[in-house]
Amino acid sequence: MYEEISISMEQASDAKVLIISVAARLAGMHPQTLRQYDRLGLVQPGRAGGGGRRYSERDVALLREVQKLSQEDGVNLAGIKRIIGLEQLAGELQERIAELESQLDAAYQRIAQLEAVASYPSRDLVRQERPSTALVVWRPRRSGQG
């Protein structure tokens, strides 16, 4: 008998090495279902030199998620496609946030380094003895006004 293999989306490899029959068996689906999901854009397998589909472990985990959403949660394929797209977008945004947080940390470190230099504040910053309550409004000149 076949051994049950559990693959989470986070652990799964992106290497496109599984032929359609193996991927279908691991996902618990018929190969024709995988072909249909490919045509609908739910999963994007790689292609071998002869044109055969090649799936990754991550693809198999995604196929299992599609099956769960469809069979257990009653979501139609259009809804599943939308969910997958939003999950991918959320992942990309999380990566971007992590990147920006790293850049922000580096900026804070650089500010701390500059503040440690004795001449830094007096040369580049103007200190105010007391907080100002003045409001400055800037309006660009319109063309034709002098």
Side-chain angles (χ1 to χ4, degrees):
M1 295 307 290
Y2 297 113
E3 179 181 332
E4 177 65 27
I5 300 174
S6 178
I7 302 170
S8 74
M9 291 290 279
E10 293 81 27
Q11 300 172 319
S13 166
D14 286 327
K16 305 280 187 175
V17 296
L18 303 171
I19 62 174
I20 192 167
S21 60
V22 173
R25 182 172 37 86
L26 291 173
M29 298 177 178
H30 191 276
Q32 192 60 36
T33 304
L34 273 64
R35 289 182 188 96
Q36 179 186 7
Y37 289 173
D38 180 14
R39 283 190 297 275
L40 294 172
L42 293 174
V43 66
Q44 287 85 30
R47 295 289 178 168
R53 291 172 173 87
R54 295 291 185 264
Y55 294 85
S56 68
E57 291 175 356
R58 188 175 307 273
D59 293 333
V60 171
L62 178 60
L63 288 165
R64 287 181 177 166
E65 181 67 17
V66 168
Q67 186 175 40
K68 178 186 171 293
L69 287 168
S70 175
Q71 293 178 358
E72 294 176 21
D73 299 333
V75 180
N76 65 25
L77 294 179
I80 292 171
K81 186 173 182 177
R82 182 74 174 144
I83 289 168
I84 290 169
L86 290 172
E87 286 177 345
Q88 289 173 344
L89 177 60
E92 292 167 6
L93 291 173
Q94 288 172 340
E95 288 175 10
R96 181 68 177 139
I97 287 170
E99 180 183 309
L100 291 171
E101 286 175 338
S102 175
Q103 291 174 3
L104 183 60
D105 288 343
Y108 280 137
Q109 289 175 2
R110 182 66 179 142
I111 289 169
Q113 290 172 347
L114 291 172
E115 286 176 339
V117 177
S119 64
Y120 169 70
S122 63
R123 191 180 77 206
D124 294 334
L125 298 178
V126 177
R127 291 188 180 267
Q128 289 186 325
E129 298 304 319
R130 57 189 162 88
S132 172
T133 57
L135 174 65
V136 177
V137 177
W138 178 80
R139 290 189 183 136
R141 290 184 182 179
R142 293 184 181 161
S143 61
Q145 290 184 342

